[in-house]
Amino acid sequence: ILIIPGGFTGTIEAAYDDRVLDWIRTIDKGTIYTGAICTGVWILGATGLLEGRQAVSHWYREEEFLRKYKALPANKRYTHDGKYWTSAGVTAGMDMSLALLNDNWGERYTQGVMLDMEYDPAPPIQGGSPEKTSWLVEWMLKSMYDAGVDPLVDRLEK
């Protein structure tokens, strides 16, 4: 199992690092499951392994980056296309991980893990996705991300 985590600066830099991308392609040849969480999907996408496959990533510029890597935006919390698994943000990665456990070890094992973690989400308000969040809150977060991502991507693409 290879799971690529997300992040910010280091994640974006890794998506442009040929040594990292080659390492992932090599490891992928021997995996049963290859996946990525959040912006880690950008790294997996940059390897070319998601080309033509359904995928999701963090909501921020999701369709733009998935199309850049020729993946098919799925608009779900997580996807499973062949041996490739992708998730939206961090908590969606928990859902994806549980689905991967269930796929491999079955319902009882997965329920045991869920009980051990006491995984029973009950957020205090509605939110957590662009569709359930105020346009102003989404705009503020997107502006904050743009301020960091745009200069970094511009530098790496030169």
Side-chain angles (χ1 to χ4, degrees):
I1 299 173
L2 171 64
I3 302 293
I4 302 162
F8 195 74
T9 304
T11 301
I12 295 169
E13 290 172 343
Y16 289 85
D17 186 330
D18 289 333
R19 291 176 308 155
V20 171
L21 302 178
D22 288 342
W23 182 86
I24 291 169
R25 288 183 201 105
T26 299
I27 297 300
D28 176 70
K29 291 176 185 173
T31 65
I32 295 171
Y33 298 99
T34 296
I37 297 170
C38 194
T39 55
V41 175
W42 301 357
I43 301 170
L44 184 56
T47 66
L49 296 170
L50 293 179
E51 188 171 331
R53 297 185 180 279
Q54 286 198 359
V56 294
S57 74
H58 188 273
W59 65 268
Y60 172 72
R61 292 164 66 174
E62 177 182 32
E63 286 199 20
E64 173 188 340
F65 281 98
L66 291 177
R67 286 201 172 105
K68 175 179 181 175
Y69 301 123
K70 299 180 181 148
L72 308 172
N75 194 30
K76 298 178 181 179
R77 265 182 84 68
Y78 65 88
T79 63
H80 171 210
D81 190 339
K83 73 174 191 173
Y84 298 98
W85 295 69
T86 60
S87 83
V90 174
T91 61
M94 293 176 68
D95 291 352
M96 180 195 83
S97 297
L98 290 167
L100 195 149
L101 286 175
N102 190 56
D103 188 64
N104 200 40
W105 290 290
E107 226 174 84
R108 289 187 185 191
Y109 185 85
T110 305
Q111 282 185 332
V113 169
M114 291 171 69
L115 180 58
D116 186 47
M117 296 187 324
E118 207 166 329
Y119 180 78
D120 188 16
I125 63 169
Q126 189 173 20
S129 70
E131 298 79 19
K132 296 178 181 178
T133 303
S134 151
W135 70 269
L136 181 59
V137 172
E138 181 183 352
W139 177 83
M140 289 184 328
L141 281 171
K142 184 179 180 315
S143 297
M144 179 184 72
Y145 290 146
D146 284 345
V149 171
D150 290 343
L152 183 56
V153 169
D154 288 347
R155 177 177 59 85
L156 291 167
E157 289 192 354
K158 287 184 180 178

